[in-house]
Amino acid sequence: MRSLIAIILIAISGNTALAADSTGPDEILAAGRAFMEDFVRQQQDEGLEASFTLGSLDPRLKLAPCTNDRIDVEFSSDPMETTQPSLLVSCQGERPWRMYLSVSLEIHGDAFVAARPLNRGDRITRAMVTTQRVQVNSVRQGTITRLDNLVGLEMKRSVRAGTPFTPHLVITPDAVARGDHVMITARNQGFAVSTRGKALANARIGEQVLVENLSSSRTLRARVVAPGRVEVAM
């Protein structure tokens, strides 16, 4: 009887050692679930609602034990731009490993959308914008989340009412247009002189544009620094 008990104890001890000698799907799924639950709480703090479903793993999966007792998890793609982001699960132990865990994710929240049909070239005003509850991470290229970053931009193409605003739908408008009178400033360290000029083409802030100095009739290449203002390096 004592021999039988000893054999059973040895078998149990051996199985326990074997289990501790590997990282299985239960540990990986638990780490992924904890990471996603924390992500959901973060979205709630931002006024968003998120829900997720983890993918499945082969129950026979056995990876090296995580000797530092920590499994690291991070998104391998932007969760705000896709409904199927993958989780990169890894361990930096003596025998490091990494793998991907699939996840289905829905994030719902208020997004800025067109209050009415808009045409290409329209300059966006507050009256053109309203909010609507949408699945944020199903909108390609992501949504614009700050109204101040939207008002004053120009539509790149026409859209219907209710279309979410994305960075790829809008563009910074021209700060100067061909024929506009502009202020030309020639600047170097500690010195600047200004004169009036005329823009010879359209340009946005940061772009180069040809301008005519109205005093000398000379044509200069200048950089647009603000609406109606350009600078020439000396």
Side-chain angles (χ1 to χ4, degrees):
M1 183 68 178
R2 290 179 180 177
S3 298
L4 178 60
I5 293 173
I7 291 171
I8 293 173
L9 289 175
I10 290 172
I12 293 173
S13 175
N15 289 338
T16 303
L18 183 62
D21 234 10
S22 65
T23 301
D26 290 345
E27 293 94 335
I28 294 169
L29 289 171
R33 187 173 297 106
F35 175 83
M36 290 303 302
E37 288 173 349
D38 185 58
F39 176 78
V40 168
R41 286 190 289 269
Q42 292 176 24
Q43 302 317 298
Q44 290 173 343
D45 292 341
E46 299 292 331
L48 302 173
E49 298 175 3
S51 60
F52 69 92
T53 302
L54 291 179
S56 59
L57 294 175
D58 188 333
R60 298 168 296 179
L61 176 68
K62 289 184 180 180
L63 300 173
C66 210
T67 53
N68 60 3
D69 294 325
R70 175 182 173 184
I71 297 177
D72 295 315
V73 185
E74 60 183 295
F75 284 112
S76 64
S77 54
D78 190 344
M80 303 305 293
E81 296 186 2
T82 177
T83 60
Q84 300 290 327
S86 293
L87 299 181
L88 175 58
V89 186
S90 62
C91 176
Q92 305 302 319
E94 295 178 2
R95 296 159 58 193
W97 52 261
R98 55 191 292 171
M99 62 167 294
Y100 291 94
L101 176 62
S102 63
V103 57
S104 296
L105 175 65
E106 291 188 10
I107 304 174
H108 294 268
D110 291 333
F112 293 118
V113 303
R116 59 176 177 79
L118 299 177
N119 298 316
R120 178 180 177 180
D122 281 351
R123 188 75 63 89
I124 299 171
T125 66
R126 291 179 182 270
M128 297 177 179
V129 183
T130 188
T131 56
Q132 181 175 300
R133 203 72 172 174
V134 301
Q135 186 174 337
V136 177
N137 63 328
S138 68
V139 180
R140 294 186 63 185
Q141 291 92 38
T143 59
I144 295 176
T145 57
R146 291 181 59 87
L147 186 60
D148 291 344
N149 293 341
L150 184 59
V151 172
L153 298 183
E154 184 178 300
M155 295 299 301
K156 290 176 66 175
R157 63 177 178 85
S158 299
V159 299
R160 296 177 296 180
T163 300
F165 288 105
T166 70
H168 292 266
L169 276 181
V170 293
I171 191 171
T172 303
D174 292 333
V176 299
R178 181 183 178 89
D180 281 354
H181 280 208
V182 297
M183 184 62 65
I184 304 171
T185 300
R187 186 185 302 276
N188 67 6
Q189 293 182 348
F191 177 78
V193 59
S194 297
T195 186
R196 299 189 64 81
K198 183 173 68 174
L200 302 180
N202 295 359
R204 298 180 176 86
I205 292 176
E207 293 181 340
Q208 298 284 322
V209 65
L210 290 177
V211 295
E212 179 186 353
N213 184 324
L214 296 180
S215 299
S216 65
S217 298
R218 290 180 57 197
T219 298
L220 308 169
R221 183 174 295 275
R223 183 173 63 89
V224 181
V225 295
R229 300 189 66 87
V230 301
E231 283 191 359
V232 178
M234 294 178 61

